[in-house]
Amino acid sequence: MKQFCIIGNPVEHSISPRLHNLAYKCLGVAANYSRLKLENAKDFREKFFTCKYDGANITVPYKEVAFANCDEVFGIAKQIEAVNTVVKRGDKLFGYNTDAPGFIKSIEEFKNIKNVLMLGAGGTAKALSFALRENGLHVNILNRSKNRLDFFNGANFNTFSHDENLPNSFDLLINTTSAGLKDNELPAPKELLLGLIKNAKYAVDVIYNKETPFIKLCKETSLTCKDGSDMLLYQAVFAFNIFFDNRFNEEDITKAMRGAFTL
Ligand code: NDP
């Protein structure tokens, strides 16, 4: 039986085991998906191999560690130097990032987007900004602190901090900050957000399972809004396909995993 897991710290809250195990059951796959709470980054590779995993997903704070531990890295993971999916082939570890394509898939229903404003400049913002740009969108980054913007300036994105004037004309607003995750905060000053929201068409918060203050504010207008559940779902679907060499139909995996949200 194949063995997979989610590696992170903490991992208790992760619904990845629920998504993958339900898909194994529905699709008749002999596999098991568990959790590995990793205390020490230096043990990443050794733990993975001694526990005899065939593959894993990686969550906070080990996506960069996973990148550094792979023998080869593919796709957008190379640009952003962060890996959320690893798979073992022989004695080698191969790394991918499915957060970014998962997000792109999750906004497929949003039409005619040209300009995007990303709130936040952390790991998720990195992944999404490169993926959106690869899809032909013009990506701008707004962050509370200026120092995190250096990376994005270096990669030729337009960047702003909260005290700078920025245009109001963005089609899509994406909250990638953790504001609202464990607190009741907005990702930027309310007045600034109200101006942006007035002129936008769509808003996404990558936080899932919770109506954040940002989404609440967006819903007070005619904006089309969604949370991060579909991003989470599709990153898992794409990881599943990497684990099983694309042997399964994407729609069948999606249908099976969707059931995990209502369990
Ligand atoms: P990071 O720690 O890398 O980045 C956090 C960002 O949030 C920074 O830009 C930080 O700004 C900003 N921030 C934090 N608190 C506030 C605040 N009160 N006001 C304004 N800005 C704030 O986090 P990640 O990118 O790894 O994760 C971000 C979010 O994405 C999390 O909530 C996580 O749960 C979610 N996520 C969802 C996924 C999904 O599948 N749906 C997948 C991955 C992540 P500063 O630089 O000023 O500190």
Side-chain angles (χ1 to χ4, degrees), residues 121-124 143-145 148 176-179 185 187 206-208 228 232:
T124 308
N143 197 48
R144 179 179 60 180
S145 63
R148 284 221 217 204
T176 69
T177 77
S178 35
E185 289 186 35
V206 298
I207 294 172
Y208 52 90
L232 179 76

Side-chain angles (χ1 to χ4, degrees), residues 99-151:
D99 287 330
F103 179 81
I104 298 293
K105 175 87 182 163
S106 80
I107 60 160
E108 246 177 22
E109 75 247 38
F110 293 173
K111 304 293 177 209
N112 298 323
I113 307 170
K114 290 193 180 76
N115 272 307
V116 178
L117 182 68
M118 189 85 66
L119 306 165
T124 308
K126 272 187 199 173
L128 304 197
S129 52
F130 277 87
L132 288 163
R133 184 158 73 181
E134 271 189 5
N135 277 263
L137 303 184
H138 189 67
V139 183
N140 305 267
I141 319 287
L142 172 70
N143 197 48
R144 179 179 60 180
S145 63
K146 288 189 179 153
N147 58 332
R148 284 221 217 204
L149 293 173
D150 292 347
F151 170 86

